[in-house]
Amino acid sequence: FFEACKADIGRVIHPDDRDDVLKALDRNNLMDALDRDGVFMMPYRLLSEKGPVYVNLRVSRMDDDDRFLIIGVTDIDEQVKRRQAEEKMREERIAYSRINALAGDYICIYIVDPETERYVEFSADSQYETFDIPKEGTDFFATSRKNGEGVVYPDDLERANSMLTKEKVLAEIERSGIFALTYRLMINGKPTYTRLKAAMVEEPEGRRLVVGVNNIDSQVRQEEEYSKRLAQAQREANIDPLTGVKNRHAYLEAEEQLDRQIAEHRASEFAIVILDVNDLKKINDTLGHHAGDQHIQSACKIICDIFKRSPVFRFGGDEFAVIAQDADYQCIEELVGKMSDRNRAAGRDGGIIIACGMAKYQNDACVANVFERADQRMYVNKSNLKAAKNNKMP
């Protein structure tokens, strides 16, 4: 087995990962790792027609006979690429924030005497000059609220005025060292995101309040775009591109959520349905993968039509899962019966046959136990369907 693996590594594994996989699948190294940790896991990339695919190798000993190894290879491509996309966007976000912090775009800066509230405008850009606000005066906070009626975006005016009082500003500075308020100014006829910051400094004449209004519009827009892209990446990471239903990663997230509900003793009734499309390998081998893809898409439509009120997940290949709750759970036997009826008709007419197994949650410790029962029943059903098909053959 180990020699056969070495022979295949150069053909099926990405060049950058070959040395690591060769080292890991050395018999002595693998046995040492199992003796030390009990289980060995390693991600790497397989070569495919569509490019490198991330997979995870898991090796453990058989519980009742440790002379034998159980070796599994799991497709983790969607999870890895999702993490890579999120990390890239996170890095872009951090880099943008750092640049903005170094090159802040201040619209204006005020120096305010906190005792008398007398203020002087320290600097202002040309856009702020168009507001025609006095460059110095008294009663800074009341004047700011009054001037805001003409320059603050109407939807933000009430909130800005309620926050921009001497008492609230000084209390926040006393508590945290800085006061910050985000709102929009009308600049060139457009609402522009700004952030007012205020902090206390010690000067020769005494304590002074430094108030700066910073243009953060591009930063906020960047944050909004980042959030949209992240949400889109998360949506795409949970969708199977061939069928449009949810994928294995989405199922694992749903399973994790149900496990939390079980642990907190608040899980509602649910059932797991495992489905497996018959004859996919035969179609791929005789008619090609394009025909196989069409077969999977047609089978998926059948599953979605029957379990129309439940989330459908494609695990990859020819396997699907359904988490039935609420209305579909109440009539789950009827829905599984519809699948059986359809299989009998397909057996007569030469249509698509989909093996099906169902199990209900029965105060199990975790969802995996329900899944395992459903999976076992699916394989029993698959064997019965094949036997029925063979008995009809001449």
Side-chain angles (χ1 to χ4, degrees):
F1 171 79
F2 291 99
E3 291 302 317
C5 286
K6 291 178 182 178
D8 285 340
I9 283 173
R11 180 174 57 86
V12 301
I13 293 181
H14 192 281
D16 293 347
D17 297 340
R18 286 171 188 166
D19 289 343
D20 291 338
V21 177
L22 274 170
K23 182 178 178 181
L25 288 181
D26 175 85
R27 179 173 181 167
N28 293 331
N29 291 341
L30 187 58
M31 294 302 105
D32 288 344
L34 291 175
D35 289 340
R36 184 179 62 251
D37 303 321
V39 65
F40 175 81
M41 291 192 293
M42 177 184 182
Y44 60 92
R45 287 164 289 181
L46 281 179
L47 298 176
S48 71
E49 295 177 355
K50 298 179 181 179
V53 175
Y54 284 93
V55 297
N56 186 63
L57 172 72
R58 187 182 190 278
V59 184
S60 61
R61 287 190 171 96
M62 188 175 289
D63 289 340
D64 56 354
D65 191 341
D66 62 6
R67 295 176 302 165
F68 292 92
L69 300 181
I70 301 173
I71 300 175
V73 178
T74 305
D75 185 341
I76 59 170
D77 195 63
E78 293 169 352
Q79 295 95 307
V80 171
K81 290 180 178 176
R82 176 194 180 195
R83 286 198 301 269
Q84 290 175 341
E86 291 178 352
E87 186 61 29
K88 182 180 179 182
M89 284 185 282
R90 192 173 293 111
E91 291 173 355
E92 292 175 353
R93 181 185 185 188
I94 292 171
Y96 186 89
S97 297
R98 288 172 176 168
I99 292 171
N100 190 71
L102 291 173
D105 183 11
Y106 278 98
I107 296 174
C108 65
I109 297 175
Y110 292 100
I111 307 298
V112 183
D113 184 331
E115 299 296 331
T116 65
E117 292 193 45
R118 183 168 184 82
Y119 70 91
V120 177
E121 182 187 282
F122 183 78
S123 66
D125 70 2
S126 57
Q127 293 176 328
Y128 196 71
E129 296 284 357
T130 61
F131 294 148
D132 197 25
I133 294 175
K135 293 185 177 295
E136 59 180 295
T138 58
D139 202 1
F140 172 77
F141 293 100
T143 301
S144 297
R145 293 194 297 272
K146 179 180 178 181
N147 291 336
E149 295 177 4
V151 299
V152 175
Y153 186 58
D155 290 354
D156 298 344
L157 183 60
E158 182 177 353
R159 178 175 57 85
N161 284 345
S162 68
M163 295 298 297
L164 197 57
T165 67
K166 180 177 178 178
E167 293 76 16
K168 289 183 179 180
V169 171
L170 296 184
E172 181 62 20
I173 292 174
E174 179 68 23
R175 187 184 69 84
S176 62
I178 192 168
F179 172 87
L181 175 65
T182 299
Y183 57 95
R184 286 166 288 183
L185 287 176
M186 295 299 297
I187 298 177
N188 296 329
K190 297 180 180 179
T192 302
Y193 282 96
T194 60
R195 178 172 293 134
L196 181 148
K197 289 184 178 180
M200 200 71 70
V201 297
E202 295 291 341
E203 294 189 356
E205 297 82 8
R207 295 204 314 162
R208 293 292 182 267
L209 187 66
V210 179
V211 181
V213 180
N214 185 231
N215 186 336
I216 60 166
D217 195 70
S218 58
Q219 179 183 355
V220 172
R221 306 296 180 190
Q222 181 78 6
E223 292 285 339
E224 291 176 347
E225 180 63 22
Y226 163 80
S227 298
K228 290 178 182 178
R229 289 168 57 197
L230 181 59
Q232 180 65 22
Q234 291 171 335
R235 284 194 296 270
E236 291 176 355
N238 285 337
I239 297 298
D240 173 54
L242 178 63
T243 61
V245 299
K246 296 183 178 183
N247 60 18
R248 177 190 293 270
H249 182 265
Y251 175 84
L252 293 176
E253 287 186 344
E255 182 183 77
E256 183 179 347
Q257 182 178 359
L258 283 172
D259 279 341
R260 285 197 300 270
Q261 294 173 0
I262 290 172
E264 296 167 2
H265 305 289
R266 56 184 183 87
S268 57
E269 296 176 318
F270 70 89
I272 302 290
V273 184
I274 305 299
L275 305 110
D276 190 278
V277 184
N278 285 7
D279 298 326
L280 179 62
K281 185 177 186 304
K282 179 180 178 182
I283 292 172
N284 284 334
D285 292 344
T286 57
L287 301 177
H289 286 277
H290 179 67
D293 287 348
Q294 290 180 326
H295 192 71
I296 286 292
Q297 289 170 333
S298 299
C300 181
K301 184 177 187 306
I302 293 170
I303 295 169
C304 291
D305 285 346
I306 291 177
F307 300 96
K308 62 183 63 179
R309 291 166 293 189
S310 298
V312 176
F313 307 84
R314 184 189 176 208
F315 270 41
D318 52 7
E319 190 172 9
F320 292 81
V322 175
I323 299 178
Q325 294 177 295
D326 302 324
D328 272 4
Y329 176 83
Q330 299 304 323
C331 57
I332 190 64
E333 286 86 359
E334 178 185 343
L335 297 177
V336 172
K338 285 184 178 180
M339 182 62 73
S340 297
D341 293 343
R342 204 191 178 290
N343 282 336
R344 281 192 290 271
R348 293 192 305 269
D349 305 334
I352 298 173
I353 296 177
I354 306 170
C356 176
M358 181 273 292
K360 294 181 178 181
Y361 168 65
Q362 297 172 339
N363 294 321
D364 297 86
C366 61
V367 178
N369 294 343
V370 187
F371 183 100
E372 185 177 352
R373 291 200 302 275
D375 200 42
Q376 291 172 350
R377 291 167 186 171
M378 182 276 292
Y379 277 109
V380 171
N381 182 240
K382 191 175 186 72
S383 298
N384 292 338
L385 289 169
K386 285 186 177 181
K389 181 178 179 180
N390 291 336
N391 289 338
K392 290 183 179 180
M393 294 177 63

